[in-house]
Amino acid sequence: MAGRELGRRLTLPIVLVGTFMAILDVAIVNVAIPSIRSGLDAGFGAVELVVSGYTIAYASLLVTGGRLGDILGRKRMFVLGLLVFTAASALCGAAPDIPVLVLARVLQGVGGAMLYPQVLAIIQTTYTGAERGRALGVFGAVIGIASIAGQLIGGALLALNLFGWTWRPVFLVNVPVGILAAVAAVVWLPDDRSESRTRLDLGGAGLVTALLLLVSVPLLLGRDEGWPLWLVLLLVASLPVGWVFLRFERGVASRGGQPLVRLDLFRNRGFAGGVPIAILFMMSYAGFLFTLAVYLQTGLGFSPLKSALVYTPSAVGFFAASLVAPRLVPMLGRHVLGAGYVLAALGLFGTAATAAVAGSSLTVWSLAPTMLLTGIGQGFGMSPLVGTILSGVPPQDAGGASGIVTTSMQTANVLGVALFGLLFFSLVGTQPPGAAYTTAFGELMPISAALLLGAALLVHRLPVSPGQPANALIERLPGWAGGFAWSMFLATGGRVGQSFFDELLSRVRGQRLTRTEQAPERLGEFLAFHYREHESADTAWLAYLQREALAYGDRTIPKEDEREPVIRAQIAEVTRRQEAGLIDPELDPALFRLLCFALASYPALLPQITRMATGLSPHDPEFVARWEGFIRRIGTDLELQVPQGRGELRE
């Protein structure tokens, strides 16, 4: 028993080591680019392949890695992925030339794609409730830390120059960590056997890998190779291959199979609008990291350690914002992302301006303020990103949607490195390091900032999730302020406060629909649940309903066409319970819904009658307990006595 509990406690640290390694190696090579280039006598395009080879394999195989975990077992795939990743890291460190290094990086990406998708699944199956929430929070923080720590760790290792191996320890450091993590995973991770009948979409995986290669390889190698015809043809061939991929995935879905990319998810407006946001952000982020590393070390001659110190303010800002962002999301919703992208864009503009003014005299400290601002914005833009995109996706589709988002982000990482590298070296041309590099850097940072501003605009256009108003301030309005806004709207016949009314109504409508979905199955608990929700959150809304009833009686009310679907959804819920055999089918569903509303709302609607009848305020804990017990009893009496097994709570 003690051993099982120890294994449970060690599960999170073990899988987070794998997470850290997989994310870290996306970025750790950036600061080593000049050293690799000089050590292996390679062109910049070939070195960009060292950066992108990992990401191409990682991006194209993430979903496949998750499917293999479902089939073969997540512990087994996690351990196997660690071993592949570790062996590939050793090969990277021993690579005698660029082709071997690129191949080893591709194998690293394969290992990362095998282990990374298992992490969330293991967390979900190991932890529950608040413990799961804490574990997922730590998981998100580790992703944020790893995505920036690559620059710092890489710079420190290059500065130390262990054993005179220059850039090789950047990869070899993974070997002892990976071996220890694999042994710990074998000993302590829980065994799991999935009953899923998931099938691999090998055709889809092959096509998406080919598509990534056809797009990225020409962009990475074209400038160095002088754009030979074969590279141009590869780039052109990406268009028909992309078309074939889409047709193939539609065909797999139409035959009842399990496509690598579920295209039907893009019918969801929030998801379809969110994926481009992730792509724009990651292209900007990857391009910024790559371009800055080359500019500092090649253009200005910074040492790897000095280059890493330039990233430190950004790392501090990113880490702090990653911790704060989850606390701001309940208050600001998706606007956390928009604010983050705007802040990061301002930081990038400031970084470019600072570099232009300072020229060759640029110092670590002169860049610190704008780098800090950039890091804060990027932290706000990264931490809540996936959760915001998936917020409108049905729970049963969250796994497939998450895979698409992650794959899109890593694909954008590849494209960011390729496109920014191509533009940067095209601007520099054959000029020596110095002013040309500063000019090229200054011209590219506004492009990176523009991508972020485009992402911010798309955030603003995302559909509002249930219960989340388009105006973030509305969410935090106290009840009296909401009541005042409703009253002004009502008293002026809708001429004052209409936009506020629309926002408040959107919030109320979302809350009602969410409650309908979350309400317990047993009728007594169903009534008590709605009473508690009315008691805690609906005082201002119920007061408005009283004034509205006096003003309009049974005539048409403002925004009736927007409010009626909520009533219909609640009546449909009663009908569903009748069809399930939980309520007498001869009862009128609409009238039954009125009864439920009366029982849940009466004390708040008529507090004076409640006080005169019982001697207690409707907010008195004694009254609340008595009323809840009373409506539970009514619910039990109204509910049909169904055979055991037909009245469980819904998932």
Side-chain angles (χ1 to χ4, degrees):
M1 195 70 179
R4 182 181 299 176
E5 180 60 26
L6 177 62
R8 190 170 177 277
R9 291 181 179 180
L10 292 175
T11 293
L12 186 62
I14 291 170
V15 297
L16 289 183
V17 169
T19 302
F20 188 85
M21 292 171 66
I23 300 298
L24 180 82
D25 268 60
V26 174
I28 195 170
V29 183
N30 281 332
V31 292
I33 287 171
S35 298
I36 293 172
R37 180 172 176 261
S38 60
L40 297 180
D41 192 25
F44 274 113
V47 177
E48 286 179 58
L49 269 180
V50 174
V51 177
S52 297
Y54 175 87
T55 317
I56 291 170
Y58 182 62
S60 58
L61 296 176
L62 271 171
V63 178
T64 302
R67 299 272 174 87
L68 284 171
D70 292 338
I71 297 170
L72 302 177
R74 298 178 184 103
K75 174 180 177 178
R76 184 180 301 175
M77 282 299 298
F78 181 80
V79 173
L80 186 59
L82 273 175
L83 294 176
V84 171
F85 188 92
T86 302
S89 298
L91 182 59
C92 285
D97 52 37
I98 279 290
V100 174
L101 182 55
V102 171
L103 174 63
R105 284 285 285 171
V106 170
L107 290 176
Q108 262 193 323
V110 173
M114 293 167 68
L115 70 90
Y116 183 80
Q118 319 312 325
V119 175
L120 271 178
I122 291 173
I123 290 175
Q124 293 278 17
T125 56
T126 304
Y127 303 102
T128 58
E131 197 174 23
R132 178 187 292 172
R134 288 192 294 270
L136 290 174
V138 175
F139 170 77
V142 166
I143 291 176
I145 295 168
S147 64
I148 54 168
Q151 319 295 326
L152 304 178
I153 295 175
L157 289 172
L158 286 163
L160 290 172
N161 192 19
L162 298 172
F163 310 111
W165 291 349
T166 61
W167 54 269
R168 297 181 187 276
V170 167
F171 300 107
L172 294 175
V173 70
N174 291 325
V175 176
V177 177
I179 292 173
L180 290 174
V183 171
V186 170
V187 175
W188 283 299
L189 282 190
D191 290 313
D192 65 307
R193 291 186 180 181
S194 175
E195 301 299 326
S196 171
R197 297 182 179 179
T198 302
R199 296 180 181 178
L200 285 178
D201 177 14
L202 293 176
L207 285 169
V208 78
T209 303
L211 179 60
L212 282 172
L213 290 172
L214 290 172
V215 172
S216 58
V217 170
L219 292 176
L220 294 169
L221 297 181
R223 192 193 66 85
D224 280 357
E225 299 295 328
W227 289 103
L229 180 61
W230 68 274
L231 281 178
V232 175
L233 291 177
L234 286 181
L235 194 57
V236 173
S238 66
L239 296 175
V241 170
W243 179 80
V244 170
F245 171 70
L246 294 176
R247 289 293 301 270
F248 183 85
E249 294 298 275
R250 288 196 184 99
V252 172
S254 65
R255 294 190 297 270
Q258 296 172 321
L260 185 74
V261 175
R262 284 187 49 196
L263 299 176
D264 62 298
L265 290 172
F266 287 91
R267 296 172 186 166
N268 181 297
R269 279 186 60 215
F271 182 78
V275 170
I277 293 171
I279 291 173
L280 289 174
F281 171 72
M282 286 306 299
M283 285 184 66
S284 169
Y285 185 61
F288 160 71
L289 293 179
F290 178 83
T291 307
L292 183 60
V294 174
Y295 165 60
L296 293 175
Q297 293 191 55
T298 304
L300 299 182
F302 279 27
S303 68
L305 182 58
K306 189 176 180 181
S307 175
L309 290 176
V310 172
Y311 286 97
T312 302
S314 174
V316 171
F318 194 111
F319 178 62
S322 295
L323 296 180
V324 173
R327 300 183 181 183
L328 294 179
V329 169
M331 179 173 70
L332 299 176
R334 70 192 195 281
H335 299 281
V336 174
L337 293 175
Y341 299 146
V342 171
L343 288 176
L346 292 175
L348 291 176
F349 282 124
T351 300
T354 303
V357 171
S360 59
S361 62
L362 186 73
T363 66
V364 172
W365 292 110
S366 61
L367 278 180
T370 59
M371 288 294 288
L372 176 64
L373 181 61
T374 301
I376 291 172
Q378 290 169 337
F380 283 140
M382 172 76 86
S383 181
L385 179 56
V386 175
T388 300
I389 295 173
L390 299 181
S391 62
V393 176
Q396 66 271 20
D397 294 331
S402 178
I404 293 174
V405 173
T406 307
T407 300
S408 299
M409 291 172 68
Q410 296 309 322
T411 302
N413 198 311
V414 175
L415 295 177
V417 171
L419 291 172
F420 276 79
L422 176 64
L423 291 172
F424 185 83
F425 294 117
S426 296
L427 290 171
V428 169
T430 58
Q431 300 180 63
Y437 279 68
T438 300
T439 301
F441 178 76
E443 291 178 0
L444 284 184
M445 285 305 95
I447 296 176
S448 182
L451 293 175
L452 291 174
L453 293 176
L457 179 62
L458 291 179
V459 168
H460 180 71
R461 296 174 64 88
L462 281 176
V464 179
S465 299
Q468 178 192 343
N471 183 343
L473 296 176
I474 297 295
E475 185 69 27
R476 311 309 296 173
L477 275 181
W480 65 264
F484 176 76
W486 281 319
S487 298
M488 287 297 296
F489 176 83
L490 186 64
T492 61
R495 286 184 290 273
V496 175
Q498 181 171 354
S499 61
F500 256 34
F501 184 89
D502 290 342
E503 298 291 353
L504 290 163
L505 182 60
S506 172
R507 179 186 181 190
V508 170
R509 188 169 59 245
Q511 288 174 335
R512 294 302 184 281
L513 291 172
T514 300
R515 284 182 203 170
T516 301
E517 296 172 356
Q518 294 177 346
E521 194 80 351
R522 308 305 308 193
L523 190 54
E525 292 302 322
F526 172 86
L527 294 172
F529 170 82
H530 282 285
Y531 169 63
R532 285 193 299 272
E533 293 296 321
H534 278 311
E535 177 70 19
S536 63
D538 288 346
T539 303
W541 175 247
L542 293 175
Y544 170 74
L545 290 180
Q546 289 175 305
R547 299 188 188 99
E548 186 179 67
L550 289 173
Y552 289 92
D554 60 356
R555 292 181 287 115
T556 302
I557 57 174
K559 308 290 183 180
E560 183 167 317
D561 56 336
E562 298 178 26
R563 295 158 66 175
E564 190 173 358
V566 178
I567 306 295
R568 296 300 168 200
Q570 294 168 337
I571 294 172
E573 175 65 14
V574 175
T575 303
R576 186 195 67 78
R577 290 166 181 272
Q578 290 177 316
E579 293 172 349
L582 299 174
I583 303 174
D584 186 345
E586 295 186 6
L587 290 174
D588 186 313
L591 298 181
F592 193 86
R593 190 269 172 192
L594 287 178
L595 173 65
C596 294
F597 178 80
L599 289 170
S601 308
Y602 184 90
L605 281 172
L606 294 171
Q608 71 276 35
I609 304 299
T610 300
R611 179 182 52 77
M612 289 189 287
T614 65
L616 298 171
S617 163
H619 305 295
D620 190 302
E622 181 183 345
F623 174 81
V624 170
R626 284 173 58 184
W627 190 253
E628 279 196 24
F630 177 69
I631 58 179
R632 277 197 183 95
R633 178 61 183 270
I634 291 178
T636 302
D637 291 343
L638 289 173
E639 191 173 45
L640 293 177
Q641 299 301 310
V642 296
Q644 187 174 2
R646 291 187 62 188
E648 299 94 342
L649 295 180
R650 283 178 290 165
E651 292 290 339

